[in-house]
Amino acid sequence: MATTIIEPGVIPPHGAEAPFLRRAERAAVFGLRARRFMTLAQGHVMADFLRFMGHLAEAQQRTLDAQGAPVLPGAGQIKLCKAHGMPPLGTQTLRRDPSWREGLHSLLAQVESQANGATRAAMQRLAALPEADLEAFADRLLDGDYAGLDLAAAPLVGAALQVYWVRLATALEQADFSRPEAHTLCPACGSLPGASMVRIGGAEQGLRYLHCSLCASEWNMVRVKCSHCESTKGIAYFGVEGGDEAVKAEACDECRSYLKILNMEKNPAVDPVADDLATLALDILMDEAGFLRSGPNLLLFPGDADA
């Protein structure tokens, strides 16, 4: 593994005009991800897995396009959350609309023909679950309580929850969100980041944004700072020798965690979900080096890379 140490003193200043929060582009978020998955699959050792994920992302976009406006928190609740620096769409406080389950069944129907036998079996198990059990499944996934969970089915539930929370986050106004007191959690839904992005263009040039693992919103956080414990000491960047220079693991010696950072300056096409899944070798190396990943990718759980 190649390692580069960057000192905290080189942290670039915030761009005064750059937004602190970037919400997903509803009309394209999953469609662009699908195309990236298909590109990454070409010649990849996990080509079948990445292609299936591309089909799943296409289904996410179609499902999102077909669904109308979601049931949003009331104006009073949004005002209260903003006053206290809390996410208005927090997974622990928001009462989910049943439409997320409709989205799940839509996804299952759309990708069944592209799935292998094990994934089809997982789909059948999900389709047979009573509504209460599906809700409990979603609660556990959002809580990060994976012990005993059906890990083959979890990415499908995760994909449906992503569609639902993107609908929510893109339906609110920018003014409904406040800068969070907890900089390591999404200002929109309170979820952990799944990766971070060094962006390009305009006021965002060179700025780092954490990418929400659930609602695909992004929020600004200075570079060379741990996205888990916020330490600026002992930050190191790891990559697979001869691998993609646009994808590194940002590791922290203080808390021994890491999260991948994708650099659009090196490749403007990188996607925080697709490129993360395409670089699982880097996760293996980080695990061997004694670092724990600090944020999830809701489309992959341990032992699930053969979908």
Side-chain angles (χ1 to χ4, degrees):
M1 298 174 70
T3 308
T4 303
I5 308 295
I6 301 179
E7 297 301 325
V10 303
I11 297 176
H14 283 280
E17 300 176 1
F20 86 93
L21 179 69
R22 303 178 76 261
R23 288 175 294 159
E25 185 179 349
R26 174 171 173 151
V29 54
F30 297 116
L32 291 173
R33 181 164 299 157
R35 289 196 286 276
R36 182 60 178 163
F37 268 124
M38 295 307 184
T39 297
L40 290 167
Q42 297 175 18
H44 199 286
V45 66
M46 298 190 304
D48 290 344
F49 169 70
L50 294 174
R51 276 194 291 268
F52 176 76
M53 287 299 167
H55 291 305
L56 181 59
E58 289 173 345
Q60 285 180 294
Q61 188 66 59
R62 286 192 293 266
T63 300
L64 181 61
D65 292 342
Q67 293 185 319
V71 177
L72 295 170
Q77 180 65 25
I78 292 174
K79 183 178 179 180
L80 182 65
C81 288
K82 187 172 182 180
H84 292 279
M86 299 294 290
L89 305 173
T91 59
Q92 303 302 310
T93 56
L94 183 75
R95 184 174 182 178
R96 289 189 300 273
D97 186 276
S99 64
W100 86 265
R101 298 196 304 269
E102 297 172 8
L104 171 62
H105 292 299
S106 174
L107 292 178
L108 298 182
Q110 291 181 66
V111 301
E112 183 178 10
S113 63
Q114 286 88 25
N116 63 19
T119 303
R120 282 196 294 272
M123 291 177 178
Q124 291 168 1
R125 293 194 297 274
L126 282 177
L129 283 180
E131 292 180 355
D133 290 347
L134 268 182
E135 293 292 348
F137 195 125
D139 286 339
R140 290 189 57 195
L141 190 151
L142 293 171
D143 289 342
D145 178 14
Y146 306 145
L149 206 61
D150 186 343
L151 296 182
L156 301 165
V157 176
L161 291 171
Q162 286 178 337
V163 171
Y164 177 66
W165 254 276
V166 167
R167 286 175 63 212
L168 290 169
T170 56
L172 290 179
E173 299 295 331
Q174 187 77 9
D176 293 329
F177 303 96
S178 62
R179 291 182 181 272
E181 293 187 9
H183 299 292
T184 59
L185 299 177
C186 176
C189 69
S191 297
L192 289 167
S196 68
M197 302 277 288
V198 176
R199 293 213 150 262
I200 57 176
E204 297 174 3
Q205 180 67 40
L207 295 183
R208 189 260 290 267
Y209 282 79
L210 301 182
H211 182 91
C212 180
S213 56
L214 181 62
C215 75
S217 298
E218 296 182 354
W219 63 104
N220 183 229
M221 186 178 197
V222 294
R223 293 167 68 173
V224 200
K225 186 174 187 177
C226 179
S227 59
H228 182 61
C229 73
E230 299 193 72
S231 172
T232 57
K233 299 178 181 179
I235 303 298
Y237 294 85
F238 295 83
V240 178
E241 189 170 356
D244 189 350
E245 287 297 313
V247 183
K248 299 290 185 182
E250 183 178 65
C252 174
D253 266 343
E254 293 292 303
C255 66
R256 301 297 292 177
S257 76
Y258 79 95
L259 198 68
K260 288 178 189 170
I261 182 167
L262 287 66
N263 195 329
M264 296 182 72
E265 294 174 330
K266 295 184 180 295
N267 185 348
V270 289
D271 177 87
V273 174
D275 283 81
D276 179 23
L277 295 186
T279 55
L280 293 182
L282 182 53
D283 293 280
I284 295 172
L285 292 174
M286 295 305 294
D287 179 68
E288 292 174 347
F291 290 94
L292 294 177
R293 180 171 170 136
S294 61
N297 187 320
L298 296 183
L299 299 188
L300 181 73
F301 294 84
D304 186 55
D306 58 351

